Amino acid sequence: MTDDRLKPVLDRIDDEMPAAQERLMEFLRIQSISTDPEYKGDTRRAAEWLAKDIEGLGLDEAGLRDTPGHPMVVGHGGPDGGAHLLFYGHYDVQPVDPLNLWDRDPFDPAIEETENGPVIRGRGASDDKGQLMTFVEACRAWVAVHGALPCRLTFFFEGEEESGSPSLIPFLEANREELQADVALICDTGMAAPGVPSIATQLRGMLKDEFTLHGPKLDLHSGHYGGPALNPLREISKIVASFHDETGRVAVEGFYEGVEEVPAELLAQWEDIGIDESAYLGHAGMSVAHGEAGYSALVQQWARPTLEINGMWGGYTGVGSKTVIPAEAHCKLTCRLVGQQDPAALRRAVRAHVEARLPQDASVEWKGELDGAPAAVFDTTRPEFTGAREALTEEWERDAVFTAMGGSIPVAGYFRQVLGMESMLIGFASEDDRIHSPNEKYDVAAFHRGTRSWARILAALSK
Amino acid sequence: MTDDRLKPVLDRIDDEMPAAQERLMEFLRIQSISTDPEYKGDTRRAAEWLAKDIEGLGLDEAGLRDTPGHPMVVGHGGPDGGAHLLFYGHYDVQPVDPLNLWDRDPFDPAIEETENGPVIRGRGASDDKGQLMTFVEACRAWVAVHGALPCRLTFFFEGEEESGSPSLIPFLEANREELQADVALICDTGMAAPGVPSIATQLRGMLKDEFTLHGPKLDLHSGHYGGPALNPLREISKIVASFHDETGRVAVEGFYEGVEEVPAELLAQWEDIGIDESAYLGHAGMSVAHGEAGYSALVQQWARPTLEINGMWGGYTGVGSKTVIPAEAHCKLTCRLVGQQDPAALRRAVRAHVEARLPQDASVEWKGELDGAPAAVFDTTRPEFTGAREALTEEWERDAVFTAMGGSIPVAGYFRQVLGMESMLIGFASEDDRIHSPNEKYDVAAFHRGTRSWARILAALSK
């Protein structure tokens, strides 16, 4: 640590931790489930809370920017003339069902002691309210100590990340000039292994689709029609079963166009991280990797494309039984994309696969969202990557690594595509944070050292 | 017609038709919806009306018999020493919602003219008040002409048929001796085609089961685990898809044990009925029969076993999308049984089929109901079947046929199982009677000729 500005900021962060946790709790209590229209008002309240909070950093301006969906929160501040960083996070959260699997009210967060240390438990604790607040708290400490931000900063928070970001591209397009910066910092990712600081440099892309398979024109009684009737549940199962071959490879024609093997050098770096694959699988109750034969669990997750069924339903789903042959069956699916896979071409390929398998008297209705995001691979030769890597290495006392991510951070693709801006993905989440699941948590240590990490990165990038 | 007793009875029935219709109307006005506790009093009033009405047949005794649910109506009368018949019907009716789809108050019945002749319109007109009154009116005419019933008769009416018959088996068990007769006559079925008198001589049995396929021990994020994760929706789809082969035959090992082909003679009878298969399929929006290749829609429905998926669900089923890999997936299934298929053996076979297809790390949890009912195939060589068939042939001036039913009439199974008594299923309903639906009706001609049919059957069986 050769930067004199830094030590008092880090001390301030340590001292302020209890207050910082309290602020996060307040933020977590707001039920900002963006995908459910019932929570529209709550989602806006989260935006208002956040705008008000960053206003306290002495910004030139900070406020809500309306969109056809949930509002963006945008703020600008700090001295001109040097580096200009944009920080991105999202203030919306995933739905909480199934509620009965939560051990506490998802929106009544608390610090809980666990055998791995204290955690902050609640929906959004990790994804992404806890993570985005690490950056905000680092800035708050910096301003408290030095009276101003270390460089020009643009804060940009979204409220639709968990519901497909429909307003994001139009907003970026309409505010192209205002949102320009040297590089975007995105805090919505995790560490590759416990204590291993990580910068994700490649992300899988995403394609979402949904279909209804229509069969009989009304629900039928299985006594009167069982036998002759087309059963949509049976047909949709046959289609879903046909999506993969017996080696776990996706059997949709043309699916692997644009997919390349991981370069040997990068693969060696990944293998050196020391990721415990059996612990990773075991955490989910699995003893083996169930993806494409011939690839490690890590490569299946980081660098291979997938076609997953996320929801399926039809017929009677209540208590007891009902002798019904339903008129329709439903399926929601997502694909994770890698390399040069083209979302539009893949959507056509998946739809053609389904349509080629429809029996007589059946029809399909597509309801999927129209946009998809290609995979993103970032330019790690930029100086910001070197600076951030060194800063993280100092804070965590362990070489920071360039990793990949199985998840998608579509915003990184959009920043590049619309603003011509590269992104650095630095986050402190753990594999066991249960994001998108019941009992989501964020380690108190991650919140604390994440905040300290950002202070170091701000120092490094504002030199 | 060689039975001198019959002609005056048939004449009496013809003369009395207006009064008989008036009695039926009165019965139909009573709102005996058994499934809805709000109509408990009305349901009892229907039982009281019916007990009073059959008392007028000069019975030794007739009255209500309380159960934990709605009362049974039981009556006995007629000379001892010869044949002893039991007649079964049910005085309760289906709910009437959606009320706005009715063209008239469902409990303000009326005769309406239609292009196919006059009908009695109202809830229960066909199912089962109109049908059961055909038998009562035949008896009334017989008693009016001859001063007594033609043979020993037991009347047995239920008020819970539309709500699962919870009191039926206990009542049969508690009154085993009292309810013994040579054969049961059940009037709750239809004619196989317009103008074709029918005796249903075989009914499919039923097996119900349900399972949950457990995969990961928690819901997973498809970015973090997509690829390596076992996806229960994909696995359950593969299992469901494996239940049938490409010819539509059930692929569960041992499934067809006890299944025999329909005898050529019976098949010829069925083909001679003149059932319009394309109209039957078209009603459900289908252009072809989707069951086992090589069998007609009729045989698929009446005489082939099925394995149907009645409900399936898992993952996210709400609005929008969620990138979840769920921890579990669910499936409800029913089998329709024929011939000598053994429900207990079939349950084991279906479960073994599923269990043999579980991938590593998956487990299955069974939740199905424990009881199943074998198919019922009645002994058509009994003299009652010959007599009834001849009687129906005379009345309808068309060969009566032995038919089958794809559905189940549980009471027939219970009569056999608890009382050791065979059943003859003879009814006069039409496919278009809209039973269980708005605008239920019963053809005036069915009511009239149905009554005459029972007079002839009584004559034949009491000779």
Side-chain angles (χ1 to χ4, degrees):
Chain A
M1 197 201 308
T2 58
D3 190 332
D4 290 342
R5 300 174 299 170
L6 192 52
K7 170 115 187 28
V9 176
L10 296 178
D11 290 345
R12 171 88 191 179
I13 287 169
D14 296 347
D15 295 345
E16 271 285 294
M17 249 310 112
Q21 287 175 14
E22 210 30 71
R23 283 186 286 270
L24 174 56
M25 297 291 188
E26 205 179 302
F27 193 19
L28 292 176
R29 283 184 202 108
I30 309 175
Q31 309 188 21
S32 49
I33 303 172
S34 61
T35 201
D36 188 338
E38 202 181 315
Y39 295 90
K40 192 172 163 59
D42 295 279
T43 305
R44 189 174 185 89
R45 277 209 300 125
E48 286 164 351
W49 185 95
L50 187 54
K52 184 148 183 292
D53 192 62
I54 60 171
E55 237 186 308
L57 304 177
L59 302 190
D60 308 339
E61 57 166 305
L64 267 55
R65 304 280 285 270
D66 282 326
T67 73
H70 302 294
M72 305 289 177
V73 176
V74 180
H76 303 284
D80 279 321
H84 183 178
L85 309 173
L86 179 142
F87 179 79
Y88 166 92
H90 64 90
Y91 65 82
D92 62 323
V93 300
Q94 278 276 318
V96 295
D97 56 281
L99 199 53
N100 62 314
L101 295 186
W102 283 82
D103 294 330
R104 62 178 305 114
D105 177 346
F107 293 108
D108 177 23
I111 309 284
E112 290 180 6
E113 290 300 327
T114 76
E115 56 186 5
N116 298 316
V119 304
I120 303 157
R121 182 88 65 195
R123 171 56 87 224
S126 177
D127 181 19
D128 184 43
K129 289 174 174 171
Q131 297 245 63
L132 78 83
M133 288 304 286
T134 57
F135 188 83
V136 173
E137 293 297 343
C139 291
R140 195 186 327 272
W142 197 289
V143 170
V145 170
H146 298 295
L149 291 165
C151 64
R152 189 71 186 160
L153 284 179
T154 292
F155 295 84
F156 177 46
F157 300 109
E158 185 192 1
E160 298 179 332
E161 202 271 347
E162 303 293 6
S163 51
S165 299
S167 309
L168 184 56
I169 291 182
F171 189 83
L172 294 180
E173 283 171 345
N175 300 278
R176 215 182 291 258
E177 290 310 308
E178 182 185 348
L179 296 171
Q180 284 297 339
D182 304 339
V183 72
L185 307 174
I186 300 179
C187 190
D188 196 17
T189 54
M191 302 207 290
V196 180
S198 311
I199 305 176
T201 65
Q202 60 184 69
L203 311 174
R204 290 196 292 189
M206 169 68 91
L207 173 68
K208 298 175 179 180
D209 219 334
E210 177 178 342
F211 65 96
T212 296
L213 192 152
H214 295 278
K217 70 181 182 195
L218 70 173
D219 282 2
L220 300 174
H221 184 278
S222 79
H224 292 172
Y225 277 96
L230 176 75
N231 187 326
L233 289 168
R234 193 169 132 198
E235 298 305 329
I236 208 165
S237 294
K238 283 156 70 176
I239 289 171
V240 167
S242 77
F243 279 141
H244 297 80
D245 70 16
E246 64 285 356
T247 70
R249 193 175 162 87
V250 177
V252 171
E253 201 182 323
F255 191 84
Y256 287 90
E257 242 163 65
V259 177
E260 280 173 17
E261 300 296 320
V262 181
E265 193 193 6
L266 187 57
L267 195 57
Q269 247 191 71
W270 290 356
E271 282 166 359
D272 195 40
I273 295 172
I275 289 173
D276 183 343
E277 290 206 356
S278 71
Y280 160 75
L281 294 169
H283 168 70
M286 299 184 299
S287 60
V288 293
H290 292 269
E292 287 173 86
Y295 295 96
S296 69
L298 187 69
V299 173
Q300 286 177 6
Q301 183 207 348
W302 281 2
R304 299 300 299 174
T306 65
L307 189 166
E308 288 291 355
I309 309 303
N310 307 114
M312 229 176 128
W313 71 102
Y316 181 67
T317 59
V319 173
S321 82
K322 186 173 174 185
T323 53
V324 65
I325 296 173
E328 54 189 41
H330 311 267
C331 177
K332 287 179 195 278
L333 63 90
T334 50
C335 296
R336 297 280 172 178
L337 278 46
V338 304
Q340 302 302 315
Q341 281 182 302
D342 171 16
L346 270 196
R347 181 188 307 279
R348 287 192 298 274
V350 169
R351 292 186 171 191
H353 181 95
V354 171
E355 281 157 15
R357 281 158 183 81
L358 290 178
Q360 197 168 336
D361 297 329
S363 63
V364 68
E365 183 186 347
W366 292 95
K367 299 182 180 174
E369 294 157 32
L370 279 179
D371 53 321
V377 182
F378 303 112
D379 175 9
T380 56
T381 65
R382 292 177 61 102
E384 292 93 347
F385 279 83
T386 317
R389 200 174 178 185
E390 285 170 10
L392 286 168
T393 297
E394 285 197 12
E395 173 60 28
W396 296 83
E397 296 165 341
R398 193 262 184 232
D399 275 350
V401 289
F402 288 152
T403 65
M405 274 189 60
S408 308
I409 306 283
V411 67
Y414 302 150
F415 283 162
R416 172 184 279 179
Q417 180 186 321
V418 182
L419 305 179
M421 185 165 62
E422 291 289 275
S423 296
M424 281 207 298
L425 295 144
I426 300 169
F428 310 96
S430 295
E431 276 304 336
D432 65 354
D433 276 357
R434 295 173 167 262
I435 68 167
H436 294 211
S437 296
N439 296 324
E440 180 176 351
K441 63 89 177 159
Y442 197 40
D443 294 334
V444 167
F447 185 58
H448 184 184
R449 299 187 78 179
T451 303
R452 288 173 55 98
S453 296
W454 283 121
R456 290 181 188 273
I457 293 168
L458 282 170
L461 302 194
S462 65
K463 266 195 292 214
Chain B
M1 195 201 313
T2 56
D3 189 333
D4 291 341
R5 300 175 301 170
L6 192 54
K7 171 115 186 27
V9 175
L10 295 177
D11 289 345
R12 171 88 191 180
I13 288 170
D14 295 347
D15 294 344
E16 272 283 295
M17 247 312 111
Q21 287 175 14
E22 208 31 71
R23 283 187 285 270
L24 175 56
M25 297 294 187
E26 208 179 298
F27 193 21
L28 292 176
R29 283 185 203 107
I30 308 175
Q31 309 187 23
S32 51
I33 303 171
S34 62
T35 202
D36 187 340
E38 201 180 316
Y39 294 91
K40 191 171 164 59
D42 295 279
T43 305
R44 190 174 184 89
R45 277 209 301 126
E48 286 163 350
W49 185 94
L50 187 55
K52 185 149 184 289
D53 192 61
I54 61 172
E55 236 186 308
L57 303 177
L59 301 189
D60 309 340
E61 56 167 304
L64 268 54
R65 304 281 284 272
D66 283 326
T67 75
H70 301 293
M72 305 287 177
V73 176
V74 180
H76 303 283
D80 278 321
H84 183 178
L85 308 173
L86 178 143
F87 179 80
Y88 166 91
H90 63 90
Y91 65 82
D92 62 323
V93 300
Q94 277 276 316
V96 295
D97 55 285
L99 200 54
N100 62 315
L101 295 186
W102 283 82
D103 294 331
R104 64 177 305 115
D105 177 346
F107 293 109
D108 177 23
I111 309 284
E112 290 179 7
E113 290 300 327
T114 75
E115 56 185 5
N116 299 316
V119 303
I120 303 157
R121 181 89 64 194
R123 173 55 87 223
S126 176
D127 181 20
D128 186 45
K129 288 173 174 171
Q131 296 244 66
L132 79 83
M133 287 303 286
T134 57
F135 188 82
V136 173
E137 293 298 343
C139 291
R140 194 184 331 270
W142 196 290
V143 171
V145 171
H146 297 295
L149 290 166
C151 65
R152 189 71 187 160
L153 283 180
T154 292
F155 295 84
F156 177 46
F157 299 110
E158 185 191 2
E160 299 179 330
E161 201 273 346
E162 304 292 6
S163 51
S165 298
S167 308
L168 184 55
I169 290 182
F171 189 83
L172 294 180
E173 283 171 345
N175 299 279
R176 217 181 289 258
E177 290 308 308
E178 181 185 348
L179 296 171
Q180 285 296 339
D182 303 338
V183 73
L185 308 174
I186 299 178
C187 190
D188 196 16
T189 53
M191 302 208 289
V196 179
S198 311
I199 306 175
T201 64
Q202 56 185 71
L203 311 173
R204 292 196 291 188
M206 169 71 89
L207 173 67
K208 299 174 180 181
D209 219 335
E210 177 177 342
F211 65 97
T212 296
L213 192 152
H214 295 278
K217 70 181 181 194
L218 70 172
D219 281 2
L220 300 174
H221 183 279
S222 78
H224 292 172
Y225 276 97
L230 176 74
N231 186 326
L233 289 169
R234 193 168 132 199
E235 298 305 328
I236 208 166
S237 294
K238 283 156 71 176
I239 289 171
V240 167
S242 78
F243 278 142
H244 297 81
D245 69 16
E246 64 286 356
T247 70
R249 193 173 161 90
V250 177
V252 171
E253 200 182 322
F255 190 84
Y256 288 91
E257 241 163 66
V259 178
E260 280 173 17
E261 299 296 320
V262 180
E265 192 194 8
L266 186 57
L267 194 59
Q269 251 190 67
W270 289 358
E271 281 166 357
D272 193 42
I273 294 171
I275 288 173
D276 183 344
E277 290 205 356
S278 69
Y280 160 75
L281 293 169
H283 170 70
M286 300 185 296
S287 61
V288 293
H290 292 269
E292 287 173 87
Y295 296 96
S296 68
L298 187 69
V299 173
Q300 286 176 7
Q301 183 207 348
W302 282 2
R304 300 299 300 175
T306 65
L307 189 166
E308 289 291 355
I309 309 303
N310 307 115
M312 226 176 133
W313 71 102
Y316 182 67
T317 60
V319 173
S321 83
K322 186 173 174 184
T323 52
V324 66
I325 295 173
E328 53 189 42
H330 311 267
C331 177
K332 285 179 195 276
L333 62 89
T334 50
C335 297
R336 296 278 174 178
L337 278 46
V338 305
Q340 303 302 315
Q341 282 182 301
D342 171 16
L346 269 196
R347 180 189 309 278
R348 286 192 299 274
V350 168
R351 292 185 171 192
H353 181 95
V354 171
E355 281 157 15
R357 280 158 183 80
L358 290 178
Q360 197 168 338
D361 298 329
S363 64
V364 69
E365 182 187 348
W366 292 97
K367 300 182 179 171
E369 294 160 31
L370 280 180
D371 52 322
V377 182
F378 302 111
D379 176 7
T380 57
T381 64
R382 291 176 63 104
E384 293 93 347
F385 281 83
T386 317
R389 195 173 179 188
E390 284 170 9
L392 287 167
T393 297
E394 285 196 10
E395 174 59 30
W396 295 83
E397 295 164 339
R398 195 262 182 234
D399 275 349
V401 289
F402 288 152
T403 65
M405 277 187 60
S408 309
I409 303 280
V411 67
Y414 302 149
F415 282 161
R416 173 184 279 181
Q417 181 186 319
V418 182
L419 306 179
M421 182 166 63
E422 294 287 275
S423 296
M424 282 208 296
L425 296 145
I426 300 170
F428 309 98
S430 296
E431 273 302 341
D432 65 355
D433 276 358
R434 297 172 161 266
I435 66 167
H436 295 209
S437 296
N439 295 324
E440 179 176 351
K441 61 88 176 163
Y442 198 40
D443 294 334
V444 167
F447 186 59
H448 184 184
R449 299 186 77 179
T451 303
R452 288 172 56 99
S453 296
W454 283 122
R456 290 181 190 273
I457 293 168
L458 283 170
L461 304 193
S462 64
K463 264 195 295 217

